[in-house]
Amino acid sequence: MSGNAVRREAIWNVEAYVPPAISFNGAEAPGEIFGLNVFSKTVMQKRLPKSVYKSVIATIEHGAMLDPDVADAVASAMKDWALEKGATHYAHVFYPLTGLTAEKHDSFFEPVGDGSSLAEFAGKTLVQGEPDASSFPNGGLRNTFEARGYTGWDVTSPAYILENPNGNTLCIPTVFVSMTGEALDHKTPLLRSQQAMGEHAARILTLFGHENQNVVAFCGPEQEYFLVDRHFFLARPDLLNAGRTLFGTKPPKGQEFDDHYFGAIPDRVLGFMMDTERELFKLGIPAKTRHNEVAPGQFEIAPMFERGNLAADHQQLLMTTFKAIAKKHGMECLFHEKPFAGVNGSGKHVNFSLGNADLGSLLVPGDTPHDNAQFLVFCAAVIRAVHKYAGLLRASVASATNDHRLGANEAPPAIISIFLGDQLADVFEQIAKGAASSSKGKGVMHIGVDTLPVLPTDPGDRNRTSPFAFTGNRFEFRAPGSMQTVAGPMTTINTIMADSLDYAAGVLETAVAAGTDFDTAVQDLLTQIITDHGNVVFNGDGYSAEWPIEAEQRGLANLKTTLDALPELVTESAMELFERYGVFNHREMHSRYEIGLEQYALTIGVEARLSLEIGTTAILPAAVKHQTEIALNIGALKAAGVEADIAPLDEVSAPITALRAGLATLRAALKSDVGHSALAEAEHARDVLLPAMADVRAAADALEELVADELWPLPTYQEMLFIL
Ligand code: ADP
Ligand code: MG
């Protein structure tokens, strides 16, 4: 089929598409299906002996060490439950450093001597698995001859049933470590960091008179994504293989009308959203908010916040579910940070707070934050952490794909700063001068229509340009990319918070022991933190041209690309920090750094090869055909004695020449030998491949505007973004 026919057919298919019917009815009402497929506390309470249940809950709720004796009882109950739910297999699910989810499936049924089979699932099978680790990135943590990797049951994240038309699977969330116990995954360090943060938060609470508190980190991830009709998706090898378009001019109509954000959701998309929510509910994932996003074809889902570790697992499961259900509705769900150049990209905001069921969020200021000392200590700890470890926060969101988004005036800049809002900023300004004695109160908004109520306004406005913004009861880290797992950023936030809380607790404990009155000690601590770290507070416009200049004067780093940010992981101070809180040892930090470089080079390498292939085999032939037709036309006109304008031929020939040259450069760049160090390959990707791809794209995009539509081989931005 010619390029044009593929596109025509795609459009026709989109038009003729009838969404599959879905409904919430009878036993499938939302309230009834929530958690239906989860081996939840309620299920455990029903099915486990009382003592076993109590022991498991002590681990989940209070972080107690898991009693190995309970595993057999839990495994047996879990197996019975799973078999009743139609499961035939079980899988240890883990989160390797590719950022994806991995699972190894095994059957419950084991043959017995007489030719029949028996469903077996022992405690040791629940607790530990041994997938071959050799095909997952390890950044030098393992020699290839030591292929062993172990998965270990994470009791704090419940097992669940994953449904599939061909059979159900019991999924068990696990950590994934090497033979020596070093982390090969994202979950292990997240759990370690949670433990460290909790320990030091509890010390602060003890000082404020709340003894024995188990403090956890909460995370509410907001996921942005694009939906594209699958016919277009399949006709775009770049989207299919790299997750983003490597070619394409801006459509005549883009997002400048702002008519998509919060607009009515198209029926087909709404059908998809309802279907996904139903599946998420079954898995116990509390999907809550859904709406359109800024760009055409872009949407957002925000589940309710949960404990960080659970939120991270749920977030991974959400992405898998979205991909599968989009397909069912004839669409592809794109999680790439920048699928379309010149169009808004996608992020995954990580809303962070800490607290527990007893005390709620410890980041709630109340109406008069100036006299809420406990809140101010936690808040000051965040300010110190973000200032001191801005580089690590930046590194935690570094990837080749997120580089397209950060600093492009649609996402926060790569400069890490904190937004506090009017009220809190004012309180901390008072603290810097000595002590805070007042809080700016809530205002009221007069709308000017008598029948409308007077609406209260929040004491602080929102700031969409800040990478780390206080939003009333939590901080919102806005820099993470849409494709990332939240485990990485959460691990960093927990660890730097552990450091700040440890520091604050130390200062207060020492002062109190020396006989200083507690209020004075708190006051001094706050004043000192805001004096040393107040530079990171910025309430202005992060997109403005002045901010990078001001930030530099304030001594805030601007680590623009992944390769600028990754070295932050292996500074002496970073390695000392992560080691001190038992989150990563030196070797693990080095491995993360190496893997970051590897993934960067691999991502760009794939894109470069795709650019070369699509440019050479699809775009150049179409352009040449168009050029030939113009040339033939000029020849025919001349032969007929008509005066022919050769300008159109020149116009299309110039970008064809540029495209040929660009492709030749790219081909040579891909062949050049850059040695085998991960750093050399990553630098080659950034300094040679990316610019070469940009030249190829510029020529190809110029051609898209010239070549006859019927010859153009790729679905256009117009088609992909507006036809759903
Ligand atoms: P926005 O208006 O910022 O886009 P959304 O409602 O889309 O907000 O998402 C906000 C996210 O923040 C949700 O996931 C929500 O559950 C989460 N959230 C709310 N309160 C807290 C909290 N105390 N700690 C962590 N996350 C929270
Ligand atoms: Mg939102």
Side-chain angles (χ1 to χ4, degrees):
M1 248 192 295
S2 78
N4 180 47
V6 170
R7 290 168 47 217
R8 283 271 159 80
E9 174 149 316
I11 295 172
W12 188 86
N13 277 318
V14 172
E15 200 43 39
Y17 178 79
V18 183
I22 53 155
S23 59
F24 281 116
N25 53 18
E28 305 238 300
E32 286 170 45
I33 62 171
F34 192 83
L36 200 65
N37 284 346
V38 183
F39 194 66
S40 60
K41 283 183 215 159
T42 325
V43 175
M44 285 195 277
Q45 191 167 20
K46 268 198 215 126
R47 291 176 174 257
L48 292 176
K50 215 171 185 165
S51 62
V52 174
Y53 174 72
K54 267 184 138 170
S55 167
V56 172
I57 292 300
T59 303
I60 298 175
E61 294 296 330
H62 307 291
M65 182 94 97
L66 178 71
D67 175 356
D69 293 341
V70 308
D72 273 325
V74 178
S76 158
M78 207 187 263
K79 179 197 70 188
D80 292 345
W81 173 79
L83 291 175
E84 283 166 31
K85 293 264 171 200
T88 52
H89 287 65
Y90 64 90
H92 276 198
V93 175
F94 54 101
Y95 309 93
L97 295 173
T98 51
L100 303 173
T101 307
E103 37 196 69
K104 181 180 177 230
H105 293 218
D106 282 291
S107 170
F108 280 120
F109 298 94
E110 288 179 15
V112 282
D114 62 1
S116 63
S117 69
L118 194 68
E120 280 292 354
F121 191 56
K124 67 175 190 330
T125 327
L126 165 64
V127 172
Q128 195 182 76
E130 198 201 318
D132 183 347
S134 58
S135 33
F136 295 105
N138 68 81
L141 276 184
R142 233 181 358 78
N143 295 317
T144 27
F145 59 87
E146 297 169 350
R148 271 179 220 275
Y150 292 94
T151 52
W153 179 32
D154 171 15
V155 189
T156 63
S157 183
Y160 55 90
I161 302 283
L162 206 55
E163 292 180 350
N164 183 290
N166 300 317
N168 297 344
T169 305
L170 168 68
C171 293
I172 301 152
T174 60
V175 295
F176 181 46
V177 296
S178 75
M179 232 174 134
T180 47
E182 280 161 327
L184 296 173
D185 69 345
H186 284 292
K187 184 189 270 289
T188 309
L190 178 57
L191 289 170
R192 292 171 180 164
S193 69
Q194 159 62 50
Q195 192 170 314
M197 193 278 296
E199 181 190 327
H200 297 289
R203 278 170 67 202
I204 302 279
L205 288 176
T206 302
L207 286 160
F208 280 96
H210 307 287
E211 305 273 339
N212 296 323
Q213 293 289 330
N214 180 42
V215 180
V216 296
F218 294 112
C219 168
E222 297 168 57
Q223 173 78 57
E224 293 177 334
Y225 60 95
F226 279 85
L227 290 172
V228 173
D229 187 273
R230 260 181 81 78
H231 298 97
F232 296 135
F233 172 74
L234 293 174
R236 293 282 313 213
D238 45 1
L239 267 188
L240 187 68
N241 292 295
R244 77 173 176 112
T245 53
L246 299 166
F247 299 98
T249 49
K250 262 182 95 156
K253 178 183 180 227
Q255 65 195 48
E256 50 285 276
F257 287 97
D258 282 337
D259 51 0
H260 185 65
Y261 194 49
F262 282 162
I265 299 173
D267 278 355
R268 183 177 179 195
V269 175
L270 195 58
F272 156 82
M273 288 175 168
M274 289 172 156
D275 209 357
T276 50
E277 283 160 19
R278 200 170 69 121
E279 290 309 313
L280 296 180
F281 282 163
K282 283 199 236 168
L283 294 164
I285 301 175
K288 189 158 175 284
T289 313
R290 50 160 117 108
H291 59 79
N292 289 357
E293 261 302 325
V294 179
Q298 193 187 26
F299 307 91
E300 178 187 297
I301 171 141
M304 273 286 289
F305 68 96
E306 299 179 280
R307 288 171 175 220
N309 174 44
L310 193 56
D313 288 2
H314 278 170
Q315 183 61 31
Q316 294 293 104
L317 199 49
L318 180 149
M319 292 203 284
T320 318
T321 308
F322 268 46
K323 282 264 178 205
I325 296 196
K327 216 178 256 182
K328 185 171 138 196
H329 289 254
M331 297 183 288
E332 183 66 26
C333 181
L334 307 176
F335 288 118
H336 194 287
E337 283 80 1
K338 195 74 175 177
F340 304 99
V343 175
N344 216 63
S346 301
K348 177 143 59 198
H349 303 165
V350 170
N351 290 272
F352 164 84
S353 68
L354 65 177
N356 62 22
D358 268 8
L359 301 172
S361 167
L362 297 170
L363 294 173
V364 174
D367 284 341
T368 51
H370 71 278
D371 61 23
N372 186 345
Q374 181 183 300
F375 161 75
L376 289 174
V377 169
F378 279 102
C379 197
V382 177
I383 294 172
R384 177 182 177 277
V386 172
H387 184 235
K388 207 163 166 207
Y389 300 111
L392 287 174
L393 283 171
R394 172 65 185 90
S396 79
V397 299
S399 72
T401 52
N402 207 19
D403 275 1
H404 295 291
R405 183 181 153 261
L406 293 179
N409 283 6
E410 54 174 87
I415 308 162
I416 303 288
S417 65
I418 273 199
F419 170 83
L420 290 180
D422 280 353
Q423 188 188 48
L424 264 192
D426 173 62
V427 168
F428 274 102
E429 271 163 33
Q430 295 180 50
I431 291 172
K433 291 186 193 126
S437 55
S438 66
S439 296
K440 289 186 181 176
K442 283 195 174 118
V444 288
M445 204 172 2
H446 293 282
I447 304 172
V449 178
D450 292 342
T451 52
L452 290 176
V454 172
L455 302 178
T457 62
D458 286 312
D461 194 7
R462 290 176 163 246
N463 184 323
R464 298 215 160 263
T465 68
S466 174
F468 215 95
F470 183 68
T471 54
N473 62 350
R474 61 187 187 272
F475 280 91
E476 182 175 358
F477 186 27
R478 306 172 58 88
S482 46
M483 218 158 69
Q484 274 191 287
T485 159
V486 299
M490 281 299 291
T491 299
T492 302
I493 295 174
N494 284 340
T495 309
I496 64 180
M497 279 302 287
D499 174 73
S500 270
L501 294 169
D502 183 7
Y503 168 80
V507 170
L508 294 177
E509 285 160 0
T510 311
V512 169
T516 313
D517 148 69
F518 184 60
D519 285 352
T520 311
V522 169
Q523 195 61 252
D524 291 349
L525 172 76
L526 293 175
T527 305
Q528 180 249 313
I529 289 184
I530 199 65
T531 308
D532 292 351
H533 302 286
N535 261 352
V536 79
V537 178
F538 176 60
N539 286 319
D541 178 3
Y543 293 176
S544 71
E546 295 79 39
W547 173 229
I549 302 165
E550 187 185 333
E552 195 178 341
Q553 286 160 1
R554 291 177 177 215
L556 304 180
N558 187 358
L559 303 171
K560 290 200 176 107
T561 73
T562 293
L563 296 193
D564 301 316
L566 287 177
E568 295 290 318
L569 297 177
V570 286
T571 63
E572 270 310 309
S573 68
M575 290 197 293
E576 189 275 325
L577 167 81
F578 280 99
E579 189 139 349
R580 179 154 29 98
Y581 293 103
V583 178
F584 289 122
N585 63 28
H586 279 45
R587 271 164 51 84
E588 289 171 318
M589 288 300 275
H590 272 290
S591 91
R592 306 267 144 167
Y593 168 68
E594 286 285 317
I595 291 168
L597 294 174
E598 264 169 42
Q599 296 279 324
Y600 180 84
L602 281 174
T603 304
I604 294 172
V606 167
E607 290 181 348
R609 287 192 293 279
L610 277 167
S611 288
L612 181 62
E613 184 190 292
I614 298 168
T616 309
T617 63
I619 294 176
L620 188 59
V624 168
K625 204 163 182 184
H626 182 75
Q627 184 189 38
T628 309
E629 280 179 16
I630 297 175
L632 287 174
N633 172 256
I634 291 171
L637 289 174
K638 279 193 177 153
V642 182
E643 199 184 333
D645 181 3
I646 62 159
L649 188 58
D650 291 340
E651 194 182 29
V652 76
S653 298
I656 288 179
T657 307
L659 180 61
R660 284 211 174 91
L663 290 169
T665 308
L666 185 56
R667 183 173 293 115
L670 276 165
K671 282 200 182 127
S672 68
D673 183 12
V674 293
H676 288 293
S677 93
L679 181 61
E681 286 189 30
E683 283 174 344
H684 177 70
R686 180 190 60 187
D687 301 334
V688 182
L689 296 182
L690 280 180
M693 283 163 60
D695 289 345
V696 167
R697 179 173 189 152
D701 288 359
L703 285 166
E704 187 181 334
E705 290 176 3
L706 296 171
V707 171
D709 182 64
E710 65 166 8
L711 296 176
W712 195 252
L714 301 171
T716 63
Y717 272 28
Q718 172 91 353
E719 289 158 348
M720 291 183 288
L721 289 165
F722 289 95
I723 303 179
L724 260 182

